[in-house]
Amino acid sequence: MGGGGSPLGSPRDDHRRAGLGWRPDTRSPESRTRSQTMADSSFDIVSKVDRQEVDNALNQAAKEISQRYDFKGVGASIDWSGERIEIRANAEERTKAVLDIFQSKLIKRGISLKALDAGEPQASGKEYKLFCTIKEGISTEDAKKVAKLIRDEGPKGVKAQVQGDELRVSSKSRDSLQEVQRLVREKDFDFAVQFVNYR
């Protein structure tokens, strides 16, 4: 083998091989621990919907419509049509009544109605149709609104970074992060938000 010493080499050898200048960590154990605990905590602000729960709400609404006497013979239905939800009935007010039932089922399953974008009933032959879409993700414009709120009214030292259709919020203080969550909830934006991925 030759060369003597440990066959694994020392940290200095590893750094030399990697072309790095090796410097010993001269900080005290207390200082090292303190710098580790000072690392930023963070969470993500997202706008997501559990599609399975939407399905469950839709199926419950369809079942109720099929069983209720006041919906007999009016051609009322609710179902997926591609990525949209299609509501049908023989009168405009009937489509709205189906929508009300669907909305109540969503609320019971913990889904914010801000995630539901419902159109107006449109005449189609002898019936009316109403289409709904499920909104997910925070648009760039909305993300900027949230980031501005955090910057203008949030605690100092909090960073908000737009990452695609969500925001990463970070701070050295967990209390500050909780304050940001309270601030965003109270602002009551016109889109649903959740706080996830705590680190």
Side-chain angles (χ1 to χ4, degrees):
M1 237 172 111
S6 166
L8 297 176
S10 69
R12 185 177 300 156
D13 295 329
D14 293 338
H15 280 72
R16 193 176 290 132
R17 281 195 292 271
L20 302 170
W22 184 76
R23 291 187 181 87
D25 190 344
T26 56
R27 295 175 300 167
S28 67
E30 293 79 14
S31 175
R32 282 199 291 270
T33 302
R34 192 160 54 247
S35 68
Q36 287 164 1
T37 56
M38 288 297 285
D40 284 4
S41 298
S42 68
F43 67 89
D44 296 333
I45 301 177
V46 301
S47 183
K48 296 184 184 297
V49 175
D50 186 333
R51 288 296 178 124
Q52 185 58 54
E53 291 293 5
V54 175
D55 260 344
N56 291 339
L58 188 149
N59 291 333
Q60 287 180 342
K63 184 176 180 181
E64 181 172 326
I65 291 161
S66 69
Q67 293 174 342
R68 272 177 46 170
Y69 179 78
D70 54 333
F71 281 103
K72 297 291 183 189
V74 300
S77 67
I78 180 170
D79 207 348
W80 285 102
S81 176
E83 284 295 301
R84 299 189 297 175
I85 293 164
E86 183 181 63
I87 294 173
R88 296 180 180 217
N90 66 356
E92 184 175 343
E93 64 271 15
R94 285 294 176 198
T95 60
K96 290 183 176 179
V98 173
L99 176 62
D100 285 344
I101 293 171
F102 179 47
Q103 288 175 327
S104 71
K105 303 302 182 189
L106 288 173
I107 292 170
K108 283 182 180 177
R109 304 201 76 87
I111 296 174
S112 170
L113 293 185
K114 292 177 182 179
L116 182 70
D117 187 6
E120 290 296 321
Q122 302 290 332
S124 176
K126 293 184 178 180
E127 66 179 359
Y128 282 80
K129 293 182 181 180
L130 188 158
F131 289 99
C132 307
T133 54
I134 301 296
K135 297 187 292 184
E136 286 197 277
I138 302 174
S139 70
T140 302
E141 183 181 341
D142 287 337
K144 287 178 180 176
K145 287 180 189 175
V146 179
K148 185 176 187 306
L149 172 72
I150 294 169
R151 188 171 61 249
D152 293 349
E153 300 181 34
K156 287 182 177 167
V158 175
K159 297 191 284 281
Q161 184 178 9
V162 179
Q163 297 187 333
D165 59 357
E166 57 189 52
L167 277 93
R168 168 73 48 82
V169 181
S170 58
S171 171
K172 295 193 185 308
S173 165
R174 287 184 174 270
D175 289 341
S176 292
L177 294 182
Q178 290 181 345
E179 177 66 18
V180 168
Q181 291 181 16
R182 184 191 63 76
L183 184 67
V184 172
R185 281 196 195 98
E186 288 181 354
K187 188 64 176 176
D188 195 27
F189 290 103
D190 59 359
F191 50 92
V193 297
Q194 300 89 35
F195 309 116
V196 300
N197 298 335
Y198 294 92
R199 299 174 187 84

